[in-house]
Amino acid sequence: MVDNRYATALVIGSVLSLMATVYLSVAVGTQHWYQYSCPPGKREGSNATELRDEFIREFDEKNYSETLFRLNGTLGLWWRCILVPVPGRSYWFKEPDPKMERQCVSFTLPQQFSPKYKHLGNPNSEEDLLRTYLWRCQFLLPLVSLALVFLGGLVGVCACLCRSFTPTLGVGVLHLLAGLCTLGTVCCFLAGVDLLQQYSPPPEGVVGTLGWSLYLALISFPLQMMAAALFLWAARSHRKNYSRMTAYRVA
């Protein structure tokens, strides 16, 4: 029989784990990890149509980075987006407040594994190994984190079916590793963006800020760690209590 304290810890840990999984899944699937704000004057001076066509058609780190700077772009783990005027609307006068839409392009799997170079857009230059592996880690680590949580959930379900409390320790360890992977995702992304801006600094007046998708990933990290702490505490405390009861019965 399981003590009420341990059962409560398991329920709270499961709820925290579910919330962290939802937050991290939304963060991975959205594009608002980092966003740029361009002054209206600089945005009006650029040819949005040509920039949009190049942005959609070509995968060149230098070109799409400059387009993100000029057109209020947002960057995610799997998406890059820009804000452009709605096509098909042309007037003989300059529209004071044109209707805008967000145009997004996803990173394909080969593009995710493509190498990064020290001279952006020049494949003949030396490969930047640090940025290459930071980029790969930033999209692989959240997938590993979600897989570990899913595996922990399967172990927990099997433990409930077998009426055993012992696998709870493994569930806690899996959530601990998942939390570290989530933290590593955020760190790799921020480090990669910082290095990219060193090689290709934004124009004067363009401001880069953290997006809500990144904050969701940050929130999921402490939730996973709290869930891991509850699972580990429940497993260890139950084991100590069971050992004492066994020793008492033997005596």
Side-chain angles (χ1 to χ4, degrees), residues 160-251:
C160 293
L161 295 177
C162 298
R163 298 179 179 274
S164 174
F165 211 86
T166 304
T168 308
L169 181 64
V171 176
V173 173
L174 290 174
H175 278 77
L176 179 64
L177 296 176
L180 294 177
C181 289
T182 302
L183 180 62
T185 300
V186 176
C187 293
C188 289
F189 180 83
L190 292 177
V193 170
D194 183 67
L195 289 174
L196 176 62
Q197 292 182 358
Q198 290 181 15
Y199 288 107
S200 179
E204 185 180 357
V206 176
V207 180
T209 56
L210 304 181
W212 58 265
S213 299
L214 186 139
Y215 286 114
L216 281 182
L218 279 176
I219 293 172
S220 65
F221 162 67
L223 293 178
Q224 289 173 332
M225 300 304 286
M226 287 188 290
L230 287 172
F231 289 137
L232 292 174
W233 173 83
R236 185 175 180 182
S237 299
H238 182 269
R239 184 176 181 180
K240 286 184 177 180
N241 191 24
Y242 180 79
S243 300
R244 291 174 183 173
M245 292 179 61
T246 303
Y248 176 77
R249 289 175 182 177
V250 171

Side-chain angles (χ1 to χ4, degrees), residues 113-120 122-134 136 199:
F113 283 99
S114 62
K116 307 298 178 183
Y117 300 98
K118 292 189 176 181
H119 297 284
L120 301 185
N122 184 8
N124 296 323
S125 63
E126 184 181 357
E127 181 181 355
D128 192 337
L129 293 178
L130 179 58
R131 287 202 311 118
T132 298
Y133 285 102
L134 283 175
R136 294 174 182 177
Y199 288 107

Side-chain angles (χ1 to χ4, degrees), residues 75-151:
L75 183 65
L77 300 184
W78 289 89
W79 296 91
R80 61 187 189 273
C81 302
I82 52 177
L83 198 63
V84 295
V86 177
R89 300 179 61 183
S90 59
Y91 302 94
W92 62 271
F93 60 92
K94 184 177 180 181
E95 193 175 4
D97 189 16
K99 187 177 181 181
M100 309 294 285
E101 67 174 358
R102 192 165 295 280
Q103 187 82 43
C104 296
V105 180
S106 63
F107 294 105
T108 63
L109 195 60
Q111 290 173 353
Q112 294 281 31
F113 283 99
S114 62
K116 307 298 178 183
Y117 300 98
K118 292 189 176 181
H119 297 284
L120 301 185
N122 184 8
N124 296 323
S125 63
E126 184 181 357
E127 181 181 355
D128 192 337
L129 293 178
L130 179 58
R131 287 202 311 118
T132 298
Y133 285 102
L134 283 175
W135 184 276
R136 294 174 182 177
C137 288
Q138 77 180 20
F139 84 91
L140 286 175
L141 286 178
L143 301 181
V144 174
S145 178
L146 292 173
L148 290 173
V149 173
F150 181 73
L151 180 60

